Amino acid sequence: MPDFSFLLLHVADPAASATFYTTLLGIPIIDQKPGFSMLPLRDGVMLGLWERDTVAPQSSGQSGASEVTFSVADAAAVDATHDAWQRRGVTILQTPTEMSFGLTFVAVDPDGHRLRVFAPATT
């Protein structure tokens, strides 16, 4: 099986999106060129930010139709992350809410990509 190595988001302005993610997640921009920026997530997986007008073949997707999800240790971490992101002015679509899989909230990046943070439910 091929290795999972990239999560690519099609964005309006890769440099601006890279600044958003580096500030939000505290990760460095490791590559930046016209139309593309790259940041490391973890375990060798990279976040690629590709200028949507230059994606080949042309993208047909819509921002917000899928989610990038981040797990945290517990409910307190969900609340702390929510509060920190809200203070930074990140748009919140769903405040911390208990769901069948755990406590979660949803925010969006500048291009409308959904960002979900959750702590798994304990049974």
Side-chain angles (χ1 to χ4, degrees), residues 61-121:
Q62 278 189 328
S63 296
S66 57
E67 297 181 350
V68 179
T69 304
F70 304 93
S71 61
V72 294
D74 53 31
V78 170
D79 289 333
T81 304
H82 169 265
D83 293 347
W85 288 14
Q86 193 169 42
R87 279 192 306 276
R88 288 187 172 167
V90 176
T91 300
I92 305 295
L93 297 181
Q94 178 188 46
T95 58
T97 303
E98 192 65 47
M99 301 189 81
S100 62
F101 54 85
L103 185 66
T104 186
F105 77 90
V106 177
V108 292
D109 75 5
D111 290 280
H113 297 289
R114 293 167 61 118
L115 308 173
R116 181 177 297 276
V117 175
F118 81 103

Side-chain angles (χ1 to χ4, degrees), residues 1 5 11 13 17 19 23 38-39 47 55 64 67 77 89 99 105 109-110 113:
M1 169 189 270
S5 60
V11 299
D13 182 343
S17 291
T19 298
T23 300
M38 184 169 60
L39 299 89
L47 173 61
V55 172
E67 297 181 350
M99 301 189 81
F105 77 90
D109 75 5
H113 297 289

